[in-house]
Amino acid sequence: MSRPAIAHIRLDAFRHNYRVAKQCHGGKALAVIKANAYGHGAVHCAKSIEGEADGFAVACLEEALQLREAGISEPILLLEGFFEANELPDIDAIDCLIVVHAKWQLEILLSAKLAQPLQVWLKMDSGMHRVGLSPSEYVQAFKRLNGHKNVAKLVLMSHFANADNLSSDHTLQQIEVFQNTIHELKQAINVETSLANSAAILGWQQAMRLSDTKTRWSRPGIMLYGANPIVQSSQVHVLKPVMQLTSKIISIRNIKKGDSIGYGSIFTAERDTTVGVVACGYADGYPRSAITGTPMAVDGKMTRLIGCVSMDMLFVDLTDIPAASIGSQVELWGNQVAANDVAKAAGTIAYELFCNVKRVHFQYFDASNI
Ligand SMILES: *Cc1c(COP(=O)(O)O)cnc(C)c1O
């Protein structure tokens, strides 16, 4: 038998979540599968909605090439566009859409010699202040790109900084900046727009009302993997977890009240304790920062992490699960244990947990009639 750490990936859940995203938003949806589909496997995820997805979004040309090589023919948007001018021939050859988020990209694109014009998603900095053109630069850039021989079509986009925070008015301010700026572009009234990430789809109907369903695009990412980025949200139940990370108990010992376990002896038993050792550690992507008390399930029963997570192993409290034995299944996150809850206990977000999963065996399931 091999090491029992497994990431079970439910592609039917991924497909379900894509449909939820489209339905909530009402327009077209680019499935964001950058970073190997947030650690889930980009080709598998893309294939599971092939023929149904309106398109995909990835971070860079290399990620797009992988999808094209696997036969994916839907539109693919490069969320950061190109990093160097010499990528343009390949981008053109595999027919990707590009984000233009900076003036240097604009200049390179306008002076490039392309085999065919590219579809450009022009990114505005409406308040996140990461990438994107400022509103005044944006209007200028739009005018230069619109009708240019290298530009097949223009889509107007921006990205939210705080859409996961329902009590912040920053998202409404960003919507207003975006709306006011594109209103200046008279020709742009019927131009396609793209604002909403997962948090906006789930929490900010205002982001959707800007344009009608035919011309608006969403860019759902994390919700496709079943994690709701809005912690206070009531809609969490409509999403299905895609990844279930499991392993097994490989050792059990009983320690006395006052005994400590593991590196740094950071956990000291407050009562006589049955300790299970699980074959999963931070080298598999389980966060080392997870604290004692982080939820975990053993043979379907909820319990907690104890002590310090090591590279290949971690400890689980089995005191109240007397039936647990060597080989008992442990869910680190997935169906019973919400990735969001583990992330919270580790001081991070589900995005990072998913992206970090490695070394474990990946097993794909698809109830394809769903
Ligand atoms: C990653 C990314 C998304 C997806 O965001 P989620 O929060 O995962 O939904 C959307 N748009 C852009 C520009 C991104 O970089």
Side-chain angles (χ1 to χ4, degrees):
M1 198 190 95
S2 61
R3 193 162 177 271
I6 298 170
H8 311 255
I9 308 292
R10 276 188 51 197
L11 296 170
D12 48 306
F14 179 81
R15 190 160 52 242
H16 166 86
N17 295 336
Y18 178 76
R19 289 173 186 165
V20 170
K22 266 199 83 155
Q23 200 182 12
C24 287
H25 175 262
K28 287 183 268 188
L30 290 183
V32 180
I33 54 170
K34 63 193 178 191
N36 197 28
Y38 295 34
H40 290 68
V43 170
H44 283 97
C45 289
K47 286 272 175 193
S48 76
I49 50 172
E50 201 179 8
E52 173 170 345
D54 300 312
F56 297 99
V58 296
C60 58
L61 176 60
E62 290 82 351
E63 291 181 349
L65 271 169
Q66 191 196 19
L67 297 175
R68 286 285 185 254
E69 277 161 13
I72 298 296
S73 59
E74 276 84 4
I76 302 176
L77 176 67
L78 307 182
L79 288 167
E80 286 158 49
F82 54 91
F83 300 84
E84 293 187 43
N86 64 13
E87 293 173 77
L88 282 168
D90 284 342
I91 290 172
D92 219 12
I94 67 164
D95 201 17
C96 287
L97 329 180
I98 56 168
V99 167
V100 166
H101 63 73
K103 279 199 277 191
W104 66 263
Q105 287 179 322
L106 180 71
E107 299 308 331
I108 288 173
L109 177 63
L110 289 173
S111 60
K113 288 201 163 52
L114 301 178
Q116 51 170 351
L118 289 170
Q119 186 180 134
V120 175
W121 289 45
L122 187 60
K123 188 164 185 176
M124 186 193 303
D125 174 10
S126 58
M128 179 163 180
H129 304 325
R130 183 175 62 175
V131 293
L133 302 170
S134 70
S136 58
E137 291 169 346
Y138 197 83
V139 174
Q140 296 310 312
F142 179 89
K143 287 175 179 160
R144 290 176 69 196
L145 289 168
N146 196 22
H148 189 277
K149 67 173 182 3
N150 285 346
V151 180
K153 186 167 112 180
L154 273 168
V155 177
L156 311 183
M157 76 176 286
S158 193
H159 192 52
F160 294 123
N162 292 293
D164 59 336
N165 181 353
L166 296 183
S167 48
S168 160
D169 59 5
H170 197 239
T171 301
L172 293 180
Q173 288 167 16
Q174 286 197 257
I175 293 170
E176 198 180 325
V177 168
F178 184 76
Q179 200 164 15
N180 291 343
T181 309
I182 67 169
H183 265 297
E184 286 180 36
L185 308 170
K186 287 262 186 315
Q187 323 88 305
I189 292 305
N190 285 317
V191 155
E192 295 174 34
T193 60
S194 178
L195 284 178
N197 56 0
S198 300
I201 293 168
L202 295 166
W204 295 91
Q205 284 299 314
Q206 300 92 328
M208 270 81 104
R209 291 198 202 106
L210 277 185
S211 46
D212 73 60
T213 53
K214 286 196 199 65
T215 59
R216 69 172 188 245
W217 288 83
S218 63
R219 305 185 307 272
I222 193 70
M223 72 181 290
L224 302 181
Y225 310 98
N228 190 325
I230 303 175
V231 180
Q232 320 90 301
S233 175
S234 57
Q235 277 177 312
V236 69
H237 62 277
V238 303
L239 300 173
K240 294 182 180 169
V242 176
M243 180 192 293
Q244 186 200 26
L245 183 64
T246 66
S247 191
K248 289 186 174 170
I249 291 179
I250 59 167
S251 175
I252 297 180
R253 71 196 56 242
N254 293 302
I255 62 168
K256 292 274 170 242
K257 179 180 175 184
D259 285 350
S260 298
I261 54 168
Y263 287 121
S265 302
I266 61 166
F267 173 80
T268 302
E270 288 149 10
R271 54 173 179 169
D272 291 355
T273 298
T274 307
V275 180
V277 177
V278 183
C280 184
Y282 62 78
D284 304 297
Y286 193 91
R288 187 176 176 281
S289 54
I291 57 171
T292 289
T294 302
M296 201 169 282
V298 176
D299 286 340
K301 297 188 183 64
M302 293 299 292
T303 178
R304 58 177 190 150
L305 172 79
I306 50 178
C308 183
V309 174
S310 39
M311 189 182 290
D312 310 318
M313 290 177 270
L314 53 77
F315 298 107
V316 62
D317 189 345
L318 299 179
T319 315
D320 297 326
I321 312 179
S325 58
I326 301 294
S328 283
Q329 164 132 326
V330 181
E331 181 182 287
L332 288 321
W333 61 70
N335 305 331
Q336 277 187 284
V337 181
N340 272 347
D341 293 341
V342 177
K344 197 167 168 222
T348 183
I349 51 178
Y351 297 74
E352 193 182 29
L353 295 189
F354 295 151
C355 288
N356 279 346
V357 174
K358 55 194 170 299
R359 189 172 69 176
V360 306
H361 303 286
F362 276 73
Q363 292 181 357
Y364 289 89
F365 303 86
D366 194 347
S368 50
N369 52 341
I370 299 174

